[in-house]
C-alpha cells in the first residue's frame, strides 16, 4: 500500500485490444470499430439481473441502465415526501422512507439498477464526527478535523451498530425488486470523506485538506486509514444485507494531481477493493470520480470492476484507455436531459455505440440535475430499454 508515503504499485499504462462491435437500435442500425472493445462475451445467466451479467462480461441483449440520483428532487413524488419530511437526514435514516424513496424511480421507470437512497456522509455520526445536511447549504461538519488529537477521536465505523436502518432497507429492497434489477449500495471513498471532514463541508479550492496533506501528511494518512478500514467494512455490511453491487464515490480525488492521487487516494481505494474481494469475490465494485479523465489509467490500478466515466471523457477513448477487462459506466451529460427527445436519443445511441458491445452500464456522467423534466428522464429509460446489440 504505502511505503514511505509512496504507492508501492508501479504505474503502468493499460494496453487496449482491438475488436469490432455492431449495435442495432430500434430506430436505426449503427456499427463501428472500436479500439479497446471487450473480449468475446460468455453465455448469460438468466437467473441474475441484467446489470450483473453485463459487468461480468456475459452475453446481454442490451446495456443495462440506471441513473445516478435517479431518486431525487426532479421527481414530483419525492417533492411530496420532502414537504412532509424536510430534513434530509430523517429521509435517509428512516427505513420506511429510505425504501419508499429508493423504489420511486423503480416503480415509474423500471431501471436495471435500484440504488439505496442515502448519502456518503451517513457513516460520520457513527465515527464520532457530528454533521448535518442543511437545505440550501449542503453538508456541515460541526467540528472540522485538523489535528492528530482530533483524528484520534475518530472511531472506526461499525455499521450494524450505527446504521442498522441501511441493512434493513437493503434487505427489503431485495425482496421488493425480486431480482428484476440489481440492488446497489454505495459508499464514499476515503479522500472524499476526508475532504468534507477537514474542509468542514463542500469546498471550491480544497485549501484546508491540501494544507494538511502537504504540511502534516502523517495526520491525513492516519485519517484516511480510518476511513479505509471503515468503508471496507461498510461495503461488506451492505453486501451481506442485500446489495448486489456497490458504487464507491471519490468525488474530490480529481482535485489531486496525478502524483498526489497516487499517494492520498489510490492506495486506500486499492486497500478497500482488495479487502472486499477477499470476503466477497463476486461482488461488483464500481468507482466514480467526477473529472477523472486525467487519471483513468491510475484508476484502473485500483482493481475495481467498473469505472464510471463522467461526460468530459469520450466513451470510446475511455474504453480504449481502460482496456478490455474493466467494465465501464456512463456517460451522457446530465444537461442533455434538458434538451429535446431527439437529442436525448442521439446521445444515448452515440454513447452506447462508442462503448461497444458488452461490459457497459448506460448511465449519466453525473447525477440527475435538479429541475430536470421528469418526462425526459422517462424518455431516457424508454430509449435505453429499447436498445438491442
Amino acid at each position: 500500500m504505502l511505503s514511505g508515503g509512496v504507492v508501492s504499485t508501479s504505474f503502468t499504462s493499460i494496453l487496449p485490444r482491438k475488436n469490432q462491435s455492431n449495435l442495432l437500435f430500434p430506430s436505426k442500425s449503427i456499427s463501428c470499430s472500436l479500439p479497446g472493445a471487450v473480449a468475446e462475451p460468455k453465455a448469460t445467466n438468466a437467473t441474475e439481473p441484467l446489470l450483473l451479467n453485463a459487468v461480468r462480461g456475459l452475453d446481454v441483449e442490451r446495456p443495462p441502465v440506471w441513473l445516478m440520483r435517479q431518486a431525487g428532487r426532479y421527481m414530483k413524488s419525492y417533492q411530496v415526501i420532502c414537504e412532509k419530511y424536510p430534513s434530509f437526514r430523517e429521509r435517509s435514516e428512516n427505513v420506511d422512507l429510505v425504501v419508499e424513496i429508493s423504489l420511486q424511480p423503480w416503480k415509474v421507470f423500471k431501471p436495471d439498477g435500484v440504488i439505496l437512497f442515502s448519502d456518503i456522509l451517513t457513516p460520520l455520526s457513527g465515527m464520532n464526527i457530528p454533521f448535518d445536511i442543511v437545505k440550501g447549504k449542503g453538508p456541515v461538519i460541526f467540528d472540522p478535523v485538523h489535528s492528530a488529537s482530533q483524528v484520534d477521536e475518530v472511531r472506526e465505523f461499525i455499521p450494524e451498530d450505527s446504521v442498522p436502518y441501511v441493512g434493513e432497507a437493503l434487505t427489503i429492497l431485495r425482496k421488493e425488486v425480486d431480482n428484476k434489477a440489481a440492488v446497489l449500495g454505495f459508499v464514499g471513498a476515503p479522500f472524499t470523506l476526508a475532504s468534507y471532514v477537514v474542509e468542514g463541508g463542500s469546498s471550491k479550492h480544497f485549501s484546508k485538506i491540501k494544507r494538511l496533506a502537504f504540511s502534516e501528511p502523517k495526520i491525513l494518512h492516519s485519517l484516511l486509514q480510518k476511513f479505509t478500514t471503515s468503508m471496507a467494512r461498510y461495503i461488506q455490511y451492505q453486501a451481506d444485507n442485500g446489495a448486489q453491487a456497490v458504487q464507491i464515490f471519490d468525488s474530490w480525488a480529481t482535485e489531486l494531481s496525478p502524483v498526489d492521487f497516487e499517494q492520498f487516494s489510490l492506495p486506500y481505494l486499492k486497500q478497500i477493493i482488495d479487502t472486499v474481494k477477499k470476503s466477497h469475490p463476486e461482488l461488483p465494485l464500481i468507482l466514480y470520480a467526477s473529472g477523472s479523465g486525467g487519471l483513468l489509467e491510475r484508476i484502473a490500478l485500483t482493481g475495481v470492476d467498473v469505472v464510471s466515466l463522467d461526460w468530459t471523457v469520450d466513451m470510446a477513448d475511455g474504453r480504449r484507455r481502460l482496456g478490455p477487462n474493466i467494465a465501464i459506466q456512463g456517460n451522457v451529460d446530465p444537461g442533455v436531459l434538458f434538451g429535446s427527445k431527439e437529442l436525448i436519443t442521439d446521445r444515448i445511441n452515440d454513447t452506447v455505440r462508442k462503448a461497444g458491445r458488452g461490459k457497459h452500464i448506460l448511465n449519466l456522467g453525473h447525477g440527475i440535475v435538479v429541475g430536470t423534466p421528469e418526462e425526459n428522464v422517462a424518455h431516457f429509460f424508454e430509449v435505453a430499454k429499447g436498445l438491442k446489440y
Side-chain angles (χ1 to χ4, degrees), residues 52-373:
L52 301 185
N53 283 330
V55 169
R56 292 166 180 157
L58 302 182
D59 190 26
V60 293
E61 63 178 13
R62 64 171 175 85
V65 57
W66 71 280
L67 301 182
M68 287 183 274
R69 292 184 186 162
Q70 64 187 16
R73 287 175 287 178
Y74 74 96
M75 294 192 76
K76 292 177 181 176
S77 56
Y78 179 75
Q79 294 168 15
V80 171
I81 290 179
C82 290
E83 291 175 4
K84 188 173 181 180
Y85 304 96
S87 166
F88 179 87
R89 288 196 60 182
E90 182 178 9
R91 295 194 297 274
S92 62
E93 298 178 13
N94 175 291
V95 175
D96 293 337
L97 292 177
V98 169
V99 170
E100 181 180 354
I101 295 168
S102 301
L103 290 176
Q104 284 180 339
W106 164 248
K107 292 176 179 177
V108 178
F109 308 122
K110 288 294 186 289
D112 298 302
V114 175
I115 192 164
L116 175 77
F117 180 76
S118 186
D119 193 87
I120 63 171
L121 301 185
T122 294
L124 293 188
S125 292
M127 299 183 72
N128 196 32
I129 304 174
F131 81 102
D132 201 358
I133 298 176
V134 180
K135 184 176 181 180
K137 187 173 183 180
V140 176
I141 309 300
F142 296 126
D143 189 16
V145 174
H146 300 132
S147 67
S149 61
Q150 288 177 297
V151 173
D152 289 341
E153 294 296 317
V154 175
R155 296 194 299 261
E156 289 188 357
F157 184 54
I158 309 297
E160 51 267 37
D161 294 339
S162 300
V163 293
Y165 51 86
V166 168
E168 292 175 39
L170 285 167
T171 300
I172 295 170
L173 288 173
R174 274 296 296 274
K175 292 178 181 177
E176 290 287 332
V177 176
D178 193 28
N179 240 27
K180 296 180 178 68
V183 172
L184 308 176
F186 70 94
V187 303
F191 183 80
T192 291
L193 294 173
S195 295
Y196 280 110
V197 167
V198 173
E199 295 287 340
S202 300
S203 177
K204 288 185 178 180
H205 304 294
F206 297 89
S207 57
K208 294 176 182 177
I209 192 164
K210 289 191 176 184
R211 182 185 296 119
L212 189 64
F214 302 138
S215 66
E216 299 280 358
K218 289 184 179 180
I219 295 175
L220 180 55
H221 282 305
S222 178
L223 179 61
L224 290 169
Q225 185 57 56
K226 286 194 173 184
F227 279 129
T228 298
T229 303
S230 297
M231 291 308 104
R233 184 179 291 128
Y234 195 23
I235 292 173
Q236 293 166 328
Y237 171 77
Q238 292 186 26
D240 289 342
N241 284 276
Q244 293 165 287
V246 176
Q247 179 154 313
I248 304 168
F249 286 87
D250 207 354
S251 310
W252 304 130
T254 53
E255 294 293 327
L256 294 166
S257 68
V259 67
D260 293 318
F261 176 80
E262 291 181 4
Q263 183 173 358
F264 295 108
S265 181
L266 175 58
Y268 297 105
L269 289 168
K270 190 175 189 308
Q271 186 180 335
I272 288 173
I273 291 160
D274 288 346
T275 299
V276 173
K277 287 300 180 182
K278 287 177 183 176
S279 61
H280 298 75
E282 299 301 316
L283 179 72
L285 298 175
I286 307 167
L287 178 59
Y288 174 77
S290 180
S292 62
L295 298 170
L296 289 187
E297 290 83 359
R298 288 169 173 83
I299 286 174
L301 297 177
T302 62
V304 75
D305 301 289
V306 186
V307 174
S308 190
L309 302 173
D310 76 0
W311 70 93
T312 65
V313 179
D314 182 83
M315 181 57 84
D317 290 343
R319 174 71 89 185
R320 173 181 55 80
R321 291 171 61 191
L322 289 167
N325 297 321
I326 296 178
I328 50 178
Q329 178 174 273
N331 70 337
V332 177
D333 185 340
V336 167
L337 293 178
F338 288 103
S340 68
K341 289 181 171 57
E342 291 75 17
L343 175 65
I344 294 169
T345 301
D346 287 345
R347 292 299 176 89
I348 290 172
N349 286 346
D350 180 66
T351 298
V352 176
R353 176 178 62 84
K354 288 178 176 177
R357 177 166 186 156
K359 282 207 166 189
H360 174 222
I361 302 169
L362 180 61
N363 206 312
L364 300 176
H366 201 283
I368 297 178
V369 180
V370 176
T372 296

Side-chain angles (χ1 to χ4, degrees), residues 11-76:
F11 171 73
T12 55
S13 296
I14 297 174
L15 297 177
R17 300 176 186 172
K18 291 188 177 181
N19 201 351
Q20 274 211 337
S21 170
N22 291 313
L23 300 168
L24 298 179
F25 297 84
S27 57
K28 53 187 176 181
S29 174
I30 299 177
S31 65
C32 63
S33 177
L34 294 173
V38 296
E40 191 67 26
K42 303 173 185 178
T44 190
N45 184 341
T47 64
E48 291 274 41
L50 177 67
L51 187 147
L52 301 185
N53 283 330
V55 169
R56 292 166 180 157
L58 302 182
D59 190 26
V60 293
E61 63 178 13
R62 64 171 175 85
V65 57
W66 71 280
L67 301 182
M68 287 183 274
R69 292 184 186 162
Q70 64 187 16
R73 287 175 287 178
Y74 74 96
M75 294 192 76
K76 292 177 181 176

